[in-house]
């Protein structure tokens, strides 16, 4: 399937293999083995900095990031290999299941994705809100909650008033076994164990299981494309069942089938954003899951965390920055002024990578790929991006280890695929759903609620002053 899918885009494969060869010759990572090991005996010692820097929160086999050498792998497969030879369907399956799918497994998985792409109830609910006036990530987050409702009837069930239900104020409440005297309808009453509701469809009932993960991976693209359309005052497109994940996403955004090159480029960007260690949004999703909230709430939290400009929100800002710089000739002066004013330039720097982000090594050449259809001013944008990169890396690369990150060139790629900047961060989320769900599923096999501590630096034993005396 993939080789057939990659026909007509062999130049893209060559471009990725060339980027891999450049990375290898620059940092010589061919012989390097990650310093991973076996499971550890908890608790373990580690040095922790602010923002949990250095803290080890769990064990994982989902993916590996080495920031010193610029390595990224999913389930043991190098990111360059996956981008060159596989598809998002294969990669999301790999992240969830731990192995590349066989032909039969891939077919069954693709059939599920096709089925779950149709989000009629969710879209109906979404369209009853003024989505066109909302922040796209906020609308997306809302959409995942509607998806939860579509997937299972858990919300309706809980909404049914039942005066015999137990009502507990908080975790410290003590169950009252009898009704208080004189009160005909006691509310603080704990009743017998609640009857389990009959499952309508066993495979569809578990809002925390694998099936829900498939539902989210398939459905989030549909709601994201719908949000993009609604923001333009247009009706969403129905998914087409004969298209791949990437091609369908492109179609639902743009209303036409992509060329082989467009499909492949979007597919590669989806693969590149699918997972990335214990980043802020993944951690947010895992924290929520660890409370035994379900996977829809987890993904909603991931979306909320990804939205910030220090995380996934940077890709949209990069494009605004490049437009603000205006032309390649102005790059030098603009960067100089920004650094003098201590401004952080979007798309540069990373909490983990202290070298070139391997994802940027692929996205850079894709952004510049000559055969991708493009808007009129795209060459100007690309030249400006190259010059800004040259200036920033020249000023900060050696000493501060500041290099382009994944967000630097992704916006240019998305622009060349006809996507509006407001939808860049949502597109990142569309792909990252695979990593969020894979890591949540893995963590839940050995769940422990997350609960770090804060170092209290406040005061003690202050005398209380009455309101009038303050
Ligand atoms: N532009 C200019 N200087 C930078 C940049 C940047 N983009 N990033 C870091 N620096 C400088 C800082 O000013 C600081 O300098 P100082 O030591 O003289 O004070 C030094 O490098 C270290 O910066 P920190 O903010 O401490 O680095 P940290 O690892 O905490 O933050 C982060 C990483 C948030 C990504 C940061 O580099 C940044 O804000 N980048 C811009 C936003 C961005 O592109 N975010 C996307 C990241 S990728 C992702 O999340 C998907």
């Amino acid at each position: 399937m993939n080789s057939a899918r990659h026909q007509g885009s062999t130049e893209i494969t060559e471009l990725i293999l060339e980027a891999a060869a450049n990375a290898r010759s620059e940092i010589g990572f061919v012989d390097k083995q990650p310093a991973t090991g076996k499971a550890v005996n908890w608790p373990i010692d580690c040095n922790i900095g602010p923002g949990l820097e250095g803290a080890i929160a769990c064990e994982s086999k989902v993916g590996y990031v080495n920031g010193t050498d610029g390595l990224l792998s999913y389930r043991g497969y190098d990111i360059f290999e996956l981008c060159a030879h596989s598809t998002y369907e294969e990669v999301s399956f790999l992240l969830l299941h731990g192995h590349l799918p066989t032909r039969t497994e891939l077919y069954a998985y693709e059939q599920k994705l096709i089925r779950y792409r149709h989000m009629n109830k969710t879209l109906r609910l979404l369209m009853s809100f003024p989505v066109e006036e909302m922040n796209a990530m906020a609308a997306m987050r809302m959409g995942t909650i509607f998806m939860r409702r579509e997937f299972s009837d858990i919300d309706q069930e809980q909404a049914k008033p039942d005066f015999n239900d137990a009502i507990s104020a908080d975790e410290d409440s003590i169950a009252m076994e009898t009704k208080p005297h004189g009160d005909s309808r006691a509310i603080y009453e704990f009743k017998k164990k609640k009857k389990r509701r009959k499952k309508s469809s066993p495979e569809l009932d578990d809002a925390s299981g694998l099936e829900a993960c498939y539902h989210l991976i398939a459905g989030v693209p549909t709601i994201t494309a719908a949000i993009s359309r609604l923001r333009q005052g247009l009706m969403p497109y129905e998914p087409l069942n004969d298209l791949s994940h990437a091609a369908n996403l492109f179609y639902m955004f743009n209303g036409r089938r992509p060329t082989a090159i467009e499909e492949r480029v979007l597919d590669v960007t989806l693969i590149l954003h699918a997972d990335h260690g214990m980043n802020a949004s993944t951690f947010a999703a895992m924290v929520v899951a660890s409370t035994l909230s379900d996977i829809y709430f987890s993904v909603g939290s991931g979306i909320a965390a990804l939205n910030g400009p220090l995380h996934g929100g940077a890709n949209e800002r990069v494009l605004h920055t490049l437009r603000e710089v205006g032309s390649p000739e102005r790059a030098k002066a603009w960067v100089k002024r920004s650094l003098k004013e201590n401004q952080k330039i979007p798309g540069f720097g990373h909490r983990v990578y202290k070298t070139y982000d391997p994802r940027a090594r692929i996205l850079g050449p894709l952004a510049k790929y000559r055969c991708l259809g493009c808007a009129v001013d795209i060459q100007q944008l690309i030249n400006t991006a190259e010059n800004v990169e040259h200036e920033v890396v020249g000023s900060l690369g050696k000493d501060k280890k500041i290099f382009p990150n994944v967000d630097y060139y992704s916006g240019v790629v998305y622009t060349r695929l006809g996507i509006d900047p407001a939808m860049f961060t949502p597109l990142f989320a569309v792909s990252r759903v695979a990593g969020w769900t894979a890591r949540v599923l893995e963590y839940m096999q050995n769940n422990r609620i997350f609960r770090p501590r804060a170092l209290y630096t406040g005061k003690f034993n202050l005398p209380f002053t009455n309101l009038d005396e303050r």
Side-chain angles (χ1 to χ4, degrees):
M1 157 107 190
N2 7 357
S3 52
R5 232 213 259 172
H6 293 180
Q7 268 168 21
S9 62
T10 43
E11 274 192 40
I12 300 288
T13 308
E14 283 162 19
L15 182 147
I16 294 164
L17 293 175
E18 195 185 322
N22 289 342
R24 285 187 181 117
S25 71
E26 225 176 273
I27 56 177
F29 70 64
V30 181
D31 301 319
K32 286 191 183 167
Q33 291 297 318
T36 49
K38 302 164 191 82
V40 292
N41 283 329
W42 296 87
I44 53 168
D45 289 334
C46 51
N47 288 327
I48 300 172
L52 292 181
E53 184 178 7
I56 297 173
C58 62
E59 293 165 28
S60 176
K61 292 185 169 63
V62 175
Y64 176 75
V65 187
N66 175 331
T68 315
D69 298 321
L71 308 181
L72 171 63
S73 60
Y74 301 161
R75 299 279 190 186
Y77 294 95
D78 183 66
I79 193 68
F80 289 105
E81 290 285 304
L82 291 172
C83 286
H85 305 297
S86 77
T87 61
Y88 182 76
E89 286 89 325
E90 284 189 308
V91 166
S92 52
F93 183 100
L94 170 71
L95 288 167
L96 284 173
H97 293 268
H99 65 272
L100 284 166
T102 61
R103 201 172 282 279
T104 317
E105 285 172 328
L106 184 61
Y107 178 77
Y109 179 54
E110 285 171 345
Q111 293 309 303
K112 288 219 185 258
L113 296 185
I114 288 171
R115 178 174 153 215
Y116 287 149
R117 264 179 209 128
H118 295 271
M119 295 270 115
N120 299 347
K121 273 194 211 161
T122 299
L123 291 191
R124 226 178 39 231
L125 278 169
L126 203 63
M127 287 164 69
S128 64
F129 285 81
V131 168
E132 66 283 1
E133 289 168 21
M134 289 177 74
N135 169 293
M137 290 289 272
M140 214 177 158
R141 188 158 171 246
M142 185 171 79
T144 57
I145 298 307
F146 296 153
M147 281 180 70
R148 177 176 183 270
R149 193 183 167 102
E150 178 156 351
F151 186 72
S152 102
D153 57 356
I154 193 162
D155 283 354
Q156 291 97 309
E157 194 65 29
Q158 283 181 355
K160 268 188 206 155
D162 180 349
F163 291 113
N164 291 320
D165 263 4
I167 297 174
S168 148
D170 57 44
E171 58 195 335
D172 297 321
S173 297
I174 299 162
M176 293 171 72
E177 291 172 0
T178 52
K179 283 183 184 177
H181 290 297
D183 202 336
S184 61
R185 203 185 260 173
I187 56 166
Y188 295 109
E189 181 196 5
F190 278 66
K191 71 165 208 157
K192 295 148 258 141
K193 224 169 174 252
K194 199 175 175 184
K195 269 185 270 152
R196 278 193 75 78
R197 80 196 142 90
K198 237 176 44 210
K199 291 190 171 188
S200 48
S201 158
E203 65 162 9
L204 276 186
D205 221 24
D206 178 5
S208 288
L210 196 56
E211 207 63 30
C213 299
Y214 297 158
H215 186 236
L216 281 156
I217 289 170
V220 169
T222 306
I223 56 172
T224 307
I227 290 164
S228 171
R229 298 276 302 164
L230 293 170
R231 285 170 60 87
Q232 300 168 65
L234 302 165
M235 287 296 283
Y237 286 109
E238 274 280 311
L240 294 181
N241 292 351
D242 64 328
L243 293 182
S244 71
H245 196 75
N248 197 60
L249 181 61
F250 183 98
Y251 167 76
M252 291 188 298
F253 263 90
N254 293 317
R256 68 167 171 86
R257 288 166 183 263
T259 63
I261 301 281
E262 287 166 335
E263 175 180 1
R264 185 75 201 292
V265 168
L266 187 55
D267 202 22
V268 172
T269 67
L270 288 172
I271 295 172
L272 284 173
H273 289 86
D275 183 61
H276 203 253
M278 292 288 280
N279 58 84
S281 58
T282 300
F283 188 50
M286 289 171 67
V287 169
V288 169
S290 82
T291 68
L292 298 187
S293 192
D294 67 44
I295 198 121
Y296 292 85
F297 284 122
S298 285
V299 165
S301 316
I303 292 170
L306 189 71
N307 183 49
L310 296 187
H311 195 10
N315 59 10
E316 185 184 344
R317 289 184 177 222
V318 170
L319 205 81
H320 296 312
T321 299
L322 294 178
R323 298 224 189 274
E324 184 191 315
V325 176
S327 70
E329 302 76 47
R330 294 181 54 193
K332 191 172 184 166
W334 187 92
V335 170
K336 200 172 166 198
R337 199 193 65 232
S338 299
L339 296 183
K340 202 168 157 210
E341 290 169 1
N342 263 334
Q343 278 182 35
K344 282 195 177 170
I345 301 170
F348 290 91
H350 199 274
R351 262 298 282 272
V352 179
Y353 292 118
K354 299 306 164 198
T355 180
Y356 220 98
D357 183 331
R359 301 165 297 177
R361 285 187 188 273
I362 297 176
L363 287 164
L366 283 187
K368 298 165 201 167
Y369 182 57
R370 64 190 159 74
C371 293
L372 200 55
C374 60
V376 186
D377 70 340
I378 204 76
Q379 198 51 51
Q380 171 99 333
L381 200 66
I382 292 168
N383 295 345
T384 308
E386 279 183 321
N387 284 11
V388 169
E389 177 187 341
H390 181 78
E391 295 302 325
V392 174
V393 173
S395 305
L396 304 178
K398 197 157 170 270
D399 296 336
K400 294 197 181 175
K401 309 280 181 229
I402 302 289
F403 296 94
N405 60 46
V406 66
D407 286 334
Y408 190 59
Y409 280 109
S410 63
V412 181
V413 175
Y414 293 147
T415 302
R416 297 191 72 179
L417 293 171
I419 290 157
D420 176 55
M423 300 311 295
F424 291 177
T425 314
L427 261 189
F428 187 155
V430 159
S431 164
R432 187 54 64 83
V433 172
W436 291 333
T437 52
R439 285 184 185 262
V440 164
L441 276 192
E442 182 188 55
Y443 188 73
M444 296 314 286
Q445 286 168 17
N446 220 346
N447 181 45
R448 188 156 193 225
I449 189 168
F450 281 105
R451 180 63 164 90
R453 296 187 310 162
L455 208 59
Y456 181 70
T457 55
K459 297 175 181 166
F460 285 103
N461 298 330
L462 293 179
F464 185 81
T465 5
N466 289 327
L467 188 57
D468 293 339
E469 291 154 22
R470 283 174 224 159

